[in-house]
Amino acid sequence: MSQTNQEISKQLFELIQKTEIVLRLYYNKNKWPSIFPTLAQLAQLYRETYRLAPNALHSYLSFYFDEYSPTTNLVVKKCVLVCIMSEGHGYSAKIQQELLVACIASFICVKNENDKLQKSLSLTEQGKKLWKLRYQLAVKVLEHGGSVNKQATRMLARLQPYCETLRSKNATPLYDNTTLIVAIAQIVAFAVAKKGCKNNALSLCIKRLYLTNTDEFVRVSLYKLVEQFSLLPVGSSTNYEGTTAVLLLKAEQQVLCTLENNKLTKLIKTKKPYRFSFNQISTSDKQLLYKVWSHIELPSIQSSESNFDSTFEVIEKLNKGSFGSFRAIEKTIAPFPHIEEALTQAAKLYNREAQKGANIRHSLTMVGLDTATLLCQRVLIEQVISQLRHPFAQDVWHKYQQISLVLATLIKRAYGQEYENILSPVSAVIAFMLKHHDIDIKRFTCTDEQLDDTKPYSLSRLFGFQTFDEQKLQTYFDSHFGDSPAHQAFQNSEKEKHNQLSGKAKTFVAVKVLSMQWSSAAFEATAWQKTILEEQAIKFGWKNIAEVHDALLALSLHNIIE
């Protein structure tokens, strides 16, 4: 038996006990400064435990912990549901962390009130006020405790209306996918956490939510929840020779445990198929809740393989190499044969009849030797972007496509080095953003006033936050793109003052400002930005920027938020 397996029962006990302790911190004002760090540590413990023992945590959807409060039972289930959906979506550890912090924090100020409601007891007038303001209070407490990232506080601010909309047949648009994950978890947790809930409450609640809501992200998230639970339906019950038995391990040889008075009596290994259902089991049996998991060879969740680093090794070669033939480029990108379809599609832009290339060699000859390396770089990065999982992945991809259309229009579809010199750095920055700023990305644009209006507008604002981490971006570009003039021009357009911008940097500024204008009704270009737009329009053969806007209007560009 592995050391991890031996220790898991202790870790599970610690998880539940710490959840109860954290939920009591609010009632001691001296503890307020420690609330956010403690929440963050507990969220990390949930993540680590889920990766080590998903079986055990799945079972906690069925088990009601008699020794702990109703709110602790609710929060445990809510966090487990978030872990399940996050795993299904393939979200990064940082995103999962923010979701879990919001999960726990949502009840940080109203444990006593929720305990009463779960027991069908009436609240005092003061209790009713606290319950009504619970999320606003949670935000204040998090800020008092030094919460740096605003994601969790934003989710809490929107949680109540989101839950209300999901429960109703109201077709109100719901834009914040991170809040949706927490809201779904909360609704399902309430359905399964109340002591004495009806049999099959889990499947009934999911079915009701699915039929009530038409939002695509909600339905996909519910599907991910069902899919993950179907893979590990641990905690579900069956009848074994006239006795209740609970599934502990789904494998070729299943592991069940029989119960008597909701206490574990024995373990059974069997290949016989059984029909299982979700039924709540109220228990304080430490053998069943914790210790049994040390006696089962638990499947763990392996970290998903990312091809980010291997892809960028090839990108570096393309950037630094001096290629005298198409064959040399083909040899460099050989480790990624799957990009052939994407490359042949990308080459359509360079064909007057908009026909795609027949194969990689044909695609490269269509664009020419000078542009081929840049095109390969861009296509490889686009593959990375499409594979990185994020709650707003669809929105990020839509905005990237819109940037490419804005650029193509500005340069009058003169595809070639100019086009690739701009779009390749933009695609590289979006890949950087998804890896290093994943918890900062939002669906709406950021139109807050700039702190330093002598600097250009950052592309990050199109994706909902004020600026990129300048040092990390510098390191990223230095590592992968060296002294590429195109990438240096993009950096120039992000950090240098207006009077220090190069001609190429001004083109980046124009593309960013145009993209913001066509993505946000709230964005208003400054006088300096308008001057840049006019200059760049004339540079690429337009009479003025108004002509560019007319051409963009003809494309029927749209914001994905409708």
Side-chain angles (χ1 to χ4, degrees):
M1 190 180 294
S2 69
Q3 181 66 25
T4 299
N5 210 32
Q6 288 177 355
E7 293 292 323
I8 195 63
S9 61
K10 181 181 175 183
Q11 188 165 325
L12 290 166
F13 177 74
E14 182 186 7
L15 184 72
I16 308 305
Q17 191 176 48
K18 283 188 174 180
T19 303
E20 176 89 9
I21 292 168
V22 165
L23 290 169
R24 294 183 183 277
L25 291 178
Y26 172 74
Y27 299 101
N28 183 347
K29 199 164 185 178
N30 294 330
K31 298 285 187 181
W32 281 25
S34 68
I35 285 180
F36 180 72
T38 310
L39 274 178
Q41 289 169 10
L42 181 58
Q44 185 177 351
L45 185 59
Y46 269 100
R47 283 195 300 104
E48 291 170 353
T49 308
Y50 188 76
R51 298 206 73 79
L52 285 174
N55 269 35
L57 290 193
H58 280 218
S59 76
Y60 287 176
L61 293 177
S62 298
F63 296 151
Y64 185 93
F65 296 80
D66 271 341
E67 288 188 341
Y68 293 94
S69 67
T71 303
T72 297
N73 275 277
L74 178 66
V75 170
V76 167
K77 288 169 174 55
K78 189 176 173 185
C79 289
V80 172
L81 288 161
V82 163
C83 288
I84 293 172
M85 284 187 279
S86 296
E87 181 60 34
H89 280 293
Y91 293 156
S92 70
K94 286 189 288 184
I95 292 173
Q96 288 183 46
Q97 179 81 5
E98 292 297 318
L99 292 168
L100 287 164
V101 166
C103 258
I104 304 162
S106 58
F107 288 95
I108 199 78
C109 303
V110 286
K111 178 191 178 299
N112 292 345
E113 286 69 29
N114 187 64
D115 285 346
K116 285 184 177 181
L117 291 172
Q118 290 292 294
K119 294 173 183 176
S120 300
L121 300 175
S122 299
L123 298 181
T124 63
E125 288 304 313
Q126 179 64 18
K128 289 176 183 176
K129 288 179 182 177
L130 277 172
W131 184 255
K132 189 175 182 179
L133 298 171
R134 61 195 182 279
Y135 299 127
Q136 292 96 313
L137 283 171
V139 169
K140 284 187 178 180
V141 170
L142 285 185
E143 289 173 346
H144 186 86
S147 175
V148 178
N149 193 279
K150 301 300 180 185
Q151 285 277 30
T153 55
R154 194 185 81 252
M155 285 184 257
L156 288 170
R158 297 178 178 183
L159 189 54
Q160 184 61 25
Y162 273 52
C163 285
E164 289 172 358
T165 301
L166 288 175
R167 286 193 185 100
S168 69
K169 291 186 178 180
N170 192 339
T172 305
L174 301 171
Y175 298 124
D176 188 15
N177 292 348
T178 49
T179 306
L180 278 173
I181 292 279
V182 179
I184 291 167
Q186 178 149 310
I187 292 169
V188 178
F190 265 115
V192 300
K194 192 174 179 69
K195 193 169 185 178
C197 68
K198 65 174 70 174
N199 290 344
N200 288 318
L202 179 64
S203 57
L204 288 170
C205 182
I206 292 172
K207 181 180 179 181
R208 185 168 61 250
L209 274 174
Y210 190 89
L211 294 175
T212 303
N213 293 278
T214 56
D215 183 278
E216 183 185 356
F217 184 80
V218 171
R219 288 192 156 193
V220 169
S221 298
L222 290 169
Y223 176 78
K224 298 290 184 186
L225 179 59
V226 171
E227 184 180 48
Q228 292 299 114
F229 196 70
S230 298
L231 291 171
L232 295 172
V234 181
S236 51
S237 308
T238 189
N239 185 292
Y240 178 81
E241 297 180 358
T243 305
T244 299
V246 176
L247 180 67
L248 300 181
L249 177 65
K250 182 186 178 183
E252 185 179 345
Q253 190 173 52
Q254 298 179 122
V255 178
L256 310 176
C257 70
T258 56
L259 304 181
E260 186 176 327
N261 296 324
N262 288 349
K263 291 185 177 181
L264 187 150
T265 53
K266 63 179 177 179
L267 293 179
I268 301 153
K269 292 184 178 180
T270 177
K271 292 185 178 181
K272 184 179 177 181
Y274 287 90
R275 187 178 181 85
F276 293 95
S277 60
F278 175 90
N279 300 315
Q280 189 185 79
I281 297 163
S282 182
T283 183
S284 58
D285 182 21
K286 289 181 171 57
Q287 290 288 342
L288 177 60
L289 296 172
Y290 315 113
K291 294 179 182 178
V292 69
W293 303 107
S294 292
H295 302 284
I296 300 171
E297 199 60 47
L298 295 174
S300 61
I301 295 173
Q302 303 301 317
S303 298
S304 54
E305 291 289 322
S306 170
N307 65 350
F308 190 93
D309 293 333
S310 57
T311 302
F312 274 85
E313 284 177 13
V314 173
I315 288 168
E316 286 172 39
K317 291 177 183 176
L318 289 168
N319 184 63
K320 295 174 183 176
S322 179
F323 296 94
S325 68
F326 294 115
R327 181 180 176 81
I329 297 174
E330 274 186 287
K331 189 175 179 180
T332 304
I333 63 173
F336 298 93
H338 61 275
I339 73 161
E340 180 169 350
E341 177 61 25
L343 200 58
T344 56
Q345 287 290 343
K348 284 170 65 174
L349 296 173
Y350 295 82
N351 185 283
R352 290 182 180 179
E353 286 75 37
Q355 293 179 342
K356 71 175 188 176
N359 50 43
I360 289 178
R361 174 68 66 86
H362 183 222
S363 301
L364 297 179
T365 56
M366 283 168 68
V367 304
L369 194 58
D370 291 338
T371 307
T373 54
L374 282 168
L375 178 67
C376 289
Q377 273 187 33
R378 173 168 67 84
V379 169
L380 281 167
I381 294 170
E382 286 174 355
Q383 295 293 299
V384 170
I385 294 170
S386 68
Q387 289 166 19
L388 290 171
R389 302 291 174 233
H390 194 277
F392 302 118
Q394 187 180 358
D395 305 271
V396 170
W397 185 254
H398 176 85
K399 286 175 181 175
Y400 172 66
Q401 293 296 314
Q402 189 158 297
I403 292 169
S404 68
L405 288 171
V406 166
L407 169 61
T409 303
L410 179 64
I411 66 172
K412 289 195 167 182
R413 303 193 181 279
Y415 298 110
Q417 259 191 304
E418 184 86 53
Y419 178 77
E420 298 297 342
N421 269 326
I422 297 168
L423 196 56
S424 185
V426 168
S427 63
V429 170
I430 291 174
F432 163 84
M433 177 184 73
L434 283 163
K435 189 172 176 66
H436 296 283
H437 285 280
D438 52 352
I439 61 173
D440 299 317
I441 298 168
K442 301 176 190 69
R443 197 163 192 176
F444 291 100
T445 56
C446 174
T447 55
D448 295 349
E449 190 175 339
Q450 281 186 257
L451 297 176
D452 183 358
D453 61 5
T454 64
K455 289 189 175 182
Y457 218 65
S458 176
L459 184 67
S460 63
R461 286 175 168 266
L462 188 63
F463 300 94
F465 60 104
Q466 289 205 358
T467 186
F468 297 115
D469 184 311
E470 196 171 299
Q471 188 56 52
K472 283 184 179 178
L473 185 60
Q474 180 76 52
T475 302
Y476 169 77
F477 272 173
D478 288 348
S479 299
H480 301 303
F481 304 99
D483 54 0
S484 160
H487 293 79
Q488 286 178 351
F490 178 85
Q491 280 188 289
N492 188 247
S493 78
E494 285 279 316
K495 65 181 182 180
E496 297 298 341
K497 293 191 175 182
H498 298 165
N499 58 2
Q500 296 174 335
L501 292 178
S502 65
K504 288 180 179 178
K506 288 179 180 178
T507 303
F508 279 112
V509 171
V511 170
K512 286 187 277 188
V513 172
L514 279 169
S515 297
M516 280 294 291
Q517 286 179 327
W518 283 87
S519 294
S520 173
F523 173 74
E524 182 63 42
T526 64
W528 175 81
Q529 288 168 345
K530 289 175 182 176
T531 301
I532 289 288
L533 290 177
E534 291 291 349
E535 287 177 1
Q536 292 297 307
I538 292 166
K539 172 184 173 179
F540 289 106
W542 300 93
K543 289 181 183 177
N544 50 46
I545 194 62
E547 268 198 342
V548 179
H549 282 299
D550 288 342
L552 288 169
L553 186 63
L555 296 177
S556 300
L557 294 181
H558 68 285
N559 193 319
I560 199 167
I561 301 174
E562 297 178 2

